[in-house]
Amino acid sequence: MRAWIAAAVLILAVLILLPSPAAGASHTQGRPHEPQPTDSDRGATAALAGTVHIDDYQLGRKSVPTMHLVRPSRRRSRRKSRRQGRSRKPYSIRRGEGAADGAALLRFAVFGDTHYWARSPARALWERRAAAQAIRDGLIIDEVDAIMPKLLHQLSEFAASGADFAVHTGDAVCGGSTFRMKPAEYLASLREYYALEEALAPWPIIHVPGNHDLDPSPNWPQRGGTMAWREIMCGNKTRAMSLGSCDPGMPNYGSIRVAGWRVLFLDAQDGLARDTDGHGHIGSEQLSWLAEELEDTSSASEQVILVMHQLLVEPPGASWIERTQDFIDNRHEVLQLLSKFDHIRLCLHGHVHANSFVTFLGIAFITTASAIEFPMHWREVSVFKCEIRLTTHTVDAPLQRERSRRADRRRGRNDVKLGDSLANSLVIQFCKNPQ
């Protein structure tokens, strides 16, 4: 009898000490790649950035749309935001087979990591040194002036089909640290790249900065950061990212609104004077602006797409990822903010020169391969009432593509860059009962 009582008491004690489901695994269930905190929460001040509004009838087609600055609404819906945070899963994600129902509300192209370097002896020397390495990547910088016109021609054809704009996800040129580009060549490359887009792609191309868009000049604060990049890229009349002003003091982040959607373009080089190891950062003022945009879109019942250069979430099976170089260093802060909302559908990145796909917090995180390195891809994004379709296209440069494939001597890396079928053709359906 005493043994029976002792056993019962022991079982009762174990039940009392066990954690409840609400306090345990529910926070990580379905999130196999949850990042670890890298920065503590910090205070934020209100940013001055605004929202570019494109009227529906002005979008795309054959002329550059007229844009005007709209200050973010001060409306708040914190109760609604907390309620939204409870449901974070798309209703279905599948390969992009079959036709969509109805016309697209928004169509745009995504490309990046073009690493343009104006022809020079220094560029030729860099390529010779790269070719002599026992292990190297597939970047063929000496072919960039042959590849870029072909890419921009394809984008112009896409524009002529009725698409609305294009997004460059960063690393337009070879600044930063890795290439050791001289400041004069950095400026010359920016200007040549600007001229190419102006001549061959006369439609809105929205640029967000990458780490290789940072000025390699050692003369900080007179030079450095994204000041030269902003001055040149923002000045292009096709740029669409001026947010009402090309003033060097204005931020490199902003948003556009169309047909119940808002696309938020983030500056992942925020506050970085130079590129040290490839990592990104989102500053406190930009985080404050992002929070205001997400609150405003929640109140307005708008869906959200995010664009930035470096990564927030690790792709599955990504042993090739560089932990310190490929991420935004305070990504935990950013993800903590995103976790409060459930109307963020898609987050687009470049940087890692590979096609990948992962879901986290109910958001589809997509990286796109470099446009000038095998497999030389760009994406078409079509937004419908209840789904987003992403389709991968190959730059029409078969000789350069094959040369890049052969150049990469890292075992299995070409397969990584190509990505699986889902990373190349994807449908994200987010209506419970699509009509």
Side-chain angles (χ1 to χ4, degrees):
M1 185 68 178
R2 289 179 180 177
W4 182 87
I5 294 173
V9 170
L10 179 61
I11 292 171
L12 181 61
V14 169
L15 290 175
I16 292 172
L17 291 173
L18 279 175
S20 66
S26 64
H27 291 292
T28 57
Q29 187 176 5
R31 303 178 192 175
H33 307 286
E34 182 159 6
Q36 297 301 310
T38 56
D39 274 352
S40 59
D41 293 341
R42 293 176 291 187
T45 58
L48 299 177
T51 299
V52 173
H53 178 69
I54 309 178
D55 294 328
D56 293 353
Y57 67 87
Q58 293 176 322
L59 265 173
R61 317 317 171 210
K62 296 184 179 179
S63 62
V64 176
T66 302
M67 299 188 178
H68 56 277
L69 190 65
V70 179
R71 293 296 175 188
S73 168
R74 294 291 177 179
R75 290 177 298 176
R76 290 288 186 267
S77 181
R78 299 194 184 277
R79 182 178 302 173
K80 183 176 181 180
S81 299
R82 287 194 294 269
R83 182 173 66 249
Q84 285 180 328
R86 298 174 185 171
S87 174
R88 311 197 204 286
K89 187 175 180 181
Y91 285 102
S92 72
I93 294 174
R94 56 183 172 81
R95 288 190 59 186
E97 298 172 341
D101 293 331
L105 302 173
L106 178 65
R107 292 174 66 219
F108 61 94
V110 177
F111 71 106
D113 295 286
T114 48
H115 293 287
Y116 190 84
W117 191 335
R119 187 187 298 268
S120 70
R123 187 185 81 172
L125 177 61
W126 186 92
E127 184 57 44
R128 287 198 300 272
R129 288 175 173 172
Q133 293 176 359
I135 298 177
R136 61 159 295 178
D137 59 23
L139 272 178
I140 46 175
I141 299 298
D142 58 338
E143 295 272 18
V144 67
D145 35 13
I147 299 169
M148 283 304 302
K150 297 179 180 182
L151 167 64
L152 293 174
H153 176 71
Q154 284 180 263
L155 293 176
S156 293
E157 289 185 334
F158 180 57
S161 74
D164 300 305
F165 59 87
V167 178
H168 191 301
T169 55
D171 285 0
V173 294
C174 293
S177 60
T178 309
F179 296 94
R180 299 182 181 179
M181 178 183 267
K182 300 297 184 183
E185 293 202 17
Y186 165 76
L187 294 174
S189 298
L190 280 174
R191 293 188 182 106
E192 280 197 20
Y193 185 92
Y194 158 99
L196 274 174
E197 281 193 355
E198 181 79 354
L200 300 178
W203 66 319
I205 298 181
I206 302 170
H207 282 255
V208 297
N211 56 299
H212 289 295
D213 294 318
L214 293 170
D215 195 328
S217 172
N219 299 324
W220 176 259
Q222 290 79 17
R223 285 275 304 278
T226 59
M227 289 191 295
W229 172 88
R230 179 177 176 80
E231 179 184 354
I232 294 171
M233 304 307 284
C234 182
N236 193 327
K237 71 176 187 296
T238 68
R239 202 56 46 229
M241 191 52 188
S242 64
L243 303 182
S245 172
C246 285
D247 188 309
M250 293 294 287
N252 295 322
Y253 49 87
S255 64
I256 59 174
R257 304 172 64 180
V258 57
W261 285 81
R262 197 174 305 190
V263 187
L264 308 182
F265 305 96
L266 275 64
D267 175 8
Q269 319 318 311
D270 196 359
L272 299 179
R274 56 183 56 87
D275 177 28
T276 56
D277 60 7
H279 77 272
H281 183 76
I282 303 292
S284 59
E285 288 193 0
Q286 187 175 182
L287 278 172
S288 179
W289 169 83
L290 177 59
E292 184 170 336
E293 288 284 299
L294 293 175
E295 290 283 1
D296 190 53
T297 51
S298 175
S299 298
S301 298
E302 293 177 336
Q303 310 289 334
V304 170
I305 296 173
L306 303 172
V307 183
M308 66 200 78
H309 185 64
Q310 286 96 334
L311 278 60
L312 288 173
V313 176
E314 181 177 328
S319 58
W320 46 274
I321 286 287
E322 296 288 346
R323 298 280 177 172
T324 58
Q325 300 175 16
D326 290 337
F327 293 98
I328 291 169
D329 63 0
N330 62 328
R331 60 185 175 134
H332 179 68
E333 266 187 296
V334 182
L335 290 168
Q336 193 172 47
L337 173 59
L338 301 187
S339 71
K340 299 176 183 179
F341 302 89
D342 74 344
H343 63 302
I344 307 164
R345 302 302 179 190
L346 178 64
C347 188
L348 299 166
H349 302 270
H351 190 60
V352 291
H353 295 208
N355 295 321
S356 72
F357 158 73
V358 66
T359 58
F360 181 69
L361 300 174
I363 306 166
F365 291 85
I366 303 286
T367 67
T368 300
S370 166
I372 70 154
E373 180 181 4
F374 180 89
M376 295 186 183
H377 280 171
W378 61 276
R379 292 187 190 270
E380 173 183 346
V381 181
S382 300
V383 179
F384 299 86
K385 180 181 178 181
C386 285
E387 67 183 34
I388 300 174
R389 289 178 169 251
L390 294 99
T391 305
T392 299
H393 299 279
T394 302
V395 179
D396 186 17
L399 295 179
Q400 290 84 4
R401 187 173 186 263
E402 177 60 15
R403 182 189 162 195
S404 174
R405 186 188 70 80
R406 291 177 177 272
D408 198 327
R409 304 185 185 116
R410 300 169 297 178
R411 183 184 297 272
R413 187 54 66 92
N414 283 326
D415 291 335
V416 167
K417 292 186 292 188
L418 185 60
D420 61 22
S421 59
L422 194 60
N424 283 271
S425 180
L426 180 69
V427 176
I428 307 164
Q429 189 263 314
F430 45 83
C431 293
K432 189 172 184 179
N433 297 303
Q435 299 298 322

